[in-house]
Amino acid sequence: LARTHAPLTRDVIVALTAGEETGGFAGARWLCENHRDLLDADIALNEGGGAQLTDDLAKPIAFGVGVSEKIFQTFSLEVKGKGGHSSRPPTSGDPVVALARALVKIGEYRFPAKVLPEQKAYFEAELPYAEKEYVAAMKHVVASAPRIAPADEAVLVKDAGYNAGIRTTCVTTMLEGSPQANVLPTSAKAKVNCRILPGETRAQVKAALEKLIADPNVVLTQGEDFGDAAASPFEGEVVDAVRKAVQERFPGTPVVPGLSSGTTDSRYLRNIGIKAYGVSPGMGSRAEATAGHGAHGPDERKPIKWMEPGADYFRAVVRTLVL
């Protein structure tokens, strides 16, 4: 846009920010709290959307527009011990065993499932391409949303992505014990990261974890609040621009609202009155994500053949909004 000196109908602000993975404290959050004047915008395009491709990477199944996301919250668990030499292990009160019991309870627990409108729309778009074992359950869920029958839930939870879309999840991500193999720990610690469905609260999740653990020796502490926000509406000029760009390039491909199981900086923008949307040039398949090639996977990657079409799509969305 700058190179062509195109006459714009509105300002375009490009914010290149740091620290999204660690809460945006040096980036988007800091800008929102300290330089609202630099972000004087009606709408924002951010990560959290993009196209899902068929498993063979042949064509897009659907283009997602990120309108909401799960709440990020980490909890710390700690159990104190007496320490000492490993040659004289405790016969009772072992902090590692107490912590392990608590983590097993958390790992085996399933928060209640529900199907939010964004997830329902995703299932509808996924149906023609889903693996056969999931099709019947998806059809039932689309018809019964927000309710989900136990039998359908039992099928869908076999896939980590589907499971994350229908419930709050909590998983152990970090462990800490003794610094030496021959030393008994004076403290055994763990981090449990939760992704909370919109409409549920941190307090509800903390209460559920405390009830699950049911051990006064395990101290549960809520970590830093990384913020959350209401959803952006799945209507208006951004959604219209996405539909226009998609239909011009991939006729008949649906555009659906997206619920991100991860967390983005959009929550900070939404909280200061900017309608933020996940509209990404990134394209990938569910099979790639399942194989560990998605975000934070050991072999994170994107198909090269879709880089240019993705950039062209994103460029078209922006130009529609500003020219």
Side-chain angles (χ1 to χ4, degrees), residues 89-240:
T91 55
S92 64
D94 187 332
V96 174
V97 172
L99 180 64
R101 288 195 184 105
L103 296 179
V104 168
K105 291 176 182 177
I106 293 172
E108 292 179 345
Y109 180 68
R110 296 293 178 265
F111 284 83
K114 68 179 73 169
V115 183
L116 297 179
E118 302 93 306
Q119 191 64 27
K120 175 184 174 180
Y122 170 75
F123 282 146
E124 287 178 312
E126 174 86 358
L127 260 174
Y129 305 95
E131 296 170 42
K132 290 182 179 179
E133 64 178 304
Y134 300 112
V135 171
M138 278 188 191
K139 286 181 178 178
H140 296 160
V141 165
V142 168
S144 67
R147 295 179 296 104
I148 176 171
D152 297 323
E153 178 188 342
V155 172
L156 293 176
V157 298
K158 295 176 183 177
D159 180 88
Y162 296 156
N163 180 64
I166 61 175
R167 61 164 33 91
T168 290
T169 60
C170 290
V171 63
T172 304
T173 54
M174 300 177 73
L175 292 168
E176 181 181 340
S178 168
Q180 284 287 121
N182 63 341
V183 176
L184 297 175
T186 56
S187 175
K189 302 178 182 178
K191 298 284 188 185
V192 171
N193 184 247
C194 299
R195 304 299 173 118
I196 305 169
L197 274 183
E200 299 176 14
T201 68
R202 292 175 169 86
Q204 290 172 330
V205 172
K206 184 180 181 185
L209 294 179
E210 288 173 334
K211 185 177 180 180
L212 270 177
I213 295 167
D215 184 346
N217 294 311
V218 181
V219 178
L220 179 72
T221 306
Q222 185 171 316
E224 192 161 18
D225 185 336
F226 277 18
D228 55 89
S232 297
F234 185 63
E235 59 185 18
E237 57 184 333
V238 172
V239 177
D240 291 344

Side-chain angles (χ1 to χ4, degrees), residues 24 32 37 81-83 87 89 93 123 145 166 170 200 241 244 271 295:
C32 290
D37 56 307
K82 295 180 180 179
S87 64
F123 282 146
I166 61 175
C170 290
E200 299 176 14
K244 179 176 182 290
N271 278 332

